[in-house]
Amino acid sequence: MNRFFFRVWLLLMAMCSTVWAQQTIRGTVADAATQRPVAWATIVVQVGSGTLGATTDSLGTFSIAGVAPGRYQLTASITGYEQYIVKDLIVSSGRETIVNIAMKENAYSLKEVTVKAGVNKEQPLNRMATVSARMLSVEEAARYAGGFDDPARLASAFAGVAGNVGNNGIVVRGNAPKSLQWKMEGVEIPNPNHFADVAAFGGGGLTALSSQMLANSDFFTGAFPAEYSNALSGVFDIQMRTGNNQQREHTFQLGAIGIDAASEGPFRKGGKSSYLFNYRYSTLALLAPVMPENAGGVRYQDLSFKLNFPTRKAGTFSLWGIGLIDQSGAKVKTDSAEIKYASDKEDQLVKQYMGATGLTHKIYCSRNTYIRTTLAATISGMDYTTSRMNALLNLLPQNKIMATNGNYVLSSYINTRFGPRHTHRSGIILTALAYNQQIQTATTPGVLYTIVDGSGSSMLAAAYSQSSVAFTEKLSANVGITGQVFALNGQASVEPRLGLKYKLSNTNSLGLAYGLHSRLERLSYYYIRSQATGELLNKDLGFSKAHHIVLSYDHNLSKNLHLRIEPYYQQLFNIPVVAGTPVSLINVQSDWFFSMPLQNTGLGRNYGIDMTLEKYMANGYYAMLTGSVFSSTYKGGDDVWRDTRFNRSYVVNLLGGREWSTGKKNNNVLGLNARVSYQGGDRYTPVDIAASAAIQDVVYQTPFTFGSQFAPAFVGHFTASYKINAAHVAHTIALKIINATMYKEFQDFKYNVQTKSVDEYREALVVPNISYKVEF
């Protein structure tokens, strides 16, 4: 019977694939500085040797019907603006293709400007970014191998970024993942990853934001604009797309790791408002046989939404949100023959949650000025308990974390274009912090003592002002200043930002940028208490800070080939360290039970060169080669310079893919994508073998902290997909494999009670996911 239904399904799919499928491309064209509609712009889509076209109306909207499924190049042009080219525009039969275009006014010509061999893909959405910024497109998030529909994992393929298999923590230019800021709709949010901060502060397993919700977003790796405060290494500025306001569209996906459902459309026919939501539920139970131990009990789910309400005179309102719930754990082993490590005697349960929601309002005060305001609330929490079995097979308390952080955020800015050469933006960000944290651990069996105990509220206030100025047709500048104050201890930071860009020609340019950046440490560190007196040890801890200097060279070698080279230097200072030891928070990865007093006397130094050579999708294939050679060192509380934990020295990524059009009408698409990464091995501190044997636990040689390095890591990822575009519906079957090369990643050193020796513990985390998706 099952075989019969399977054959019927295959027959229906084959019949659907023979139906001629066409779809509509529509969208808006706006001025990049004012975001006002641009009327009467010409829109052209290249279709084989011919073209399809349209002209925007008085509201800047356009629509092109009768487009067959496939990949296209769209060009927008109008007198007085630089031509805008959209590469890799995907048209699918299952949904309309919506394109929102921001055109840059040409300050020195009233004629239509054609940039030869130029594309807009390598440019960030934020026009006040000069260097070290890249737009992350929706299309890339879905296509690149190893991305797994996760923008954080996709970012690890970019120049200057190192990543791991076991977590998606983003190491930017040798900085810890915790130094990265996550933003959504212009507001800083808690780490939006499932199982956040378990394996790496700032990272997790997979992001909670589905590619179904993602709009084109910006990723910064250094010297970012003044509007980004409280960020030390980089910024992931995520935008949610707005739902289709003309017709309802739905997506459902079933895979080996769970289900994914999305829906969007207008609230009522003919209205301008729209909704968009996505829900995912996942479990690794089906993959347990090929996953590490205890992975079968992992469950997680998330929900994202955005509601958009344009009005005639009161501006546009949007209500958005994201939330996740996770559960994982480990079961104790009672058979002595199975117990090798201390962790085998532990029973663990971890429950986590995170949420963010906001109301955003945008209104025009005049033709050249608008105000954008967001009122948001965020929350994150962890309930973590560990019990350890004693010789009598009784479970005794070992660790306990009960941490809740909630923020209320007001973010508002005013944006004004004073003319085609000058755009200015000034704003404030007020964050009310509410927290309740208790972290305990046992130094003697079954007796917990408190490391962190704090509850209450505080405030982080920031203000900024920045301008983008075109001095000449070739020379432009982005200049700004930002400042922030932490009310808990009165610590403050004032930070200048400057970027210069010079166009050598229509195809290449030079950029130079400087910025002073700072970031608060984790709130739990401010509430570490003395075991003897109970007083707070680190309440007066200041911001960690860094000077960033970046030189950038961009060259469009052809219309589909782009080269970027960026040397950089970062001087970190005011880093919290423990006096008289190598300990520095610059190296912290996931130590929840840190309990030492800190002082802001540590230093760090990162320098290197990043290179990206990218061949855009054309003629059915694409490729990207990124490489980074760098050094990351620090000076701890003992005044000795050492390699940081994250100093891999080099990272090389090569990714690419090929697509073939199939079917009677060439409507269907077969795609193969692969990525390989070769990077320096993990840094580690050597183990003192004799001392470890004496106490039957791992003892490190602390004078040689991170003085050793494992062999280089070679990791490969693979994706294959087949998409059938039928009339008003699209079916996609895909196989995605993370770590197809089965690389065994270093986890930790563990003392083996059976062999009486220290093991180098590694795991090969391989995640295969076969899925079926339907869009209708």
Side-chain angles (χ1 to χ4, degrees), residues 156-201:
S156 66
F158 297 158
V161 180
N164 295 293
V165 176
N167 69 81
N168 66 357
I170 301 174
V171 177
V172 179
R173 292 175 172 171
N175 292 283
K178 70 182 181 67
S179 300
L180 180 86
Q181 182 188 84
W182 293 88
K183 298 196 80 168
M184 177 172 286
E185 295 292 305
V187 173
E188 182 175 3
I189 62 173
N191 184 343
N193 291 298
H194 290 286
F195 311 105
D197 302 334
V198 175
F201 291 153

Side-chain angles (χ1 to χ4, degrees), residues 453-472:
D453 187 10
S455 62
S457 60
S458 189
M459 173 75 72
L460 178 64
Y464 62 89
S465 184
Q466 59 188 21
S467 284
S468 180
V469 182
F471 295 115
T472 69

Side-chain angles (χ1 to χ4, degrees), residues 86 105 132 169 250 280 288:
V86 180
E105 186 176 6
S132 299
H250 316 284
R280 296 188 299 184

Side-chain angles (χ1 to χ4, degrees), residues 313-329:
K313 295 183 179 181
T316 299
F317 296 84
S318 61
L319 180 66
W320 54 269
I322 183 173
L324 65 85
I325 300 174
D326 303 330
Q327 180 173 313
S328 61

Side-chain angles (χ1 to χ4, degrees), residues 110-124:
L110 294 178
K111 299 182 296 182
E112 178 186 315
V113 178
T114 300
V115 181
K116 294 182 180 179
V119 296
N120 300 89
K121 184 176 178 181
E122 73 274 5
Q123 298 297 325

Side-chain angles (χ1 to χ4, degrees), residues 146-147 150 152-157 161-172 175-177 199-201 203-206 589 645-646 648 651 653 675 677 679-683 710 713 715-717 738-739 743-747 762-763 765 767:
D150 180 356
R153 288 188 179 273
L154 174 59
S156 66
V161 180
N164 295 293
V165 176
N167 69 81
N168 66 357
I170 301 174
V171 177
V172 179
N175 292 283
F201 291 153
L206 293 169
Q589 187 165 359
R645 176 195 292 270
F646 307 101
R648 291 182 177 269
V651 180
N653 286 283
R675 172 188 162 194
S677 174
Q679 59 185 359
D682 289 299
R683 290 276 173 182
F710 289 116
V715 182
H717 312 287
I738 289 181
N739 193 18
Y743 172 72
K744 292 186 176 182
E745 194 167 66
F746 173 71
Q747 304 295 319
R762 291 177 173 269
E763 286 183 342
L765 178 63
V767 186

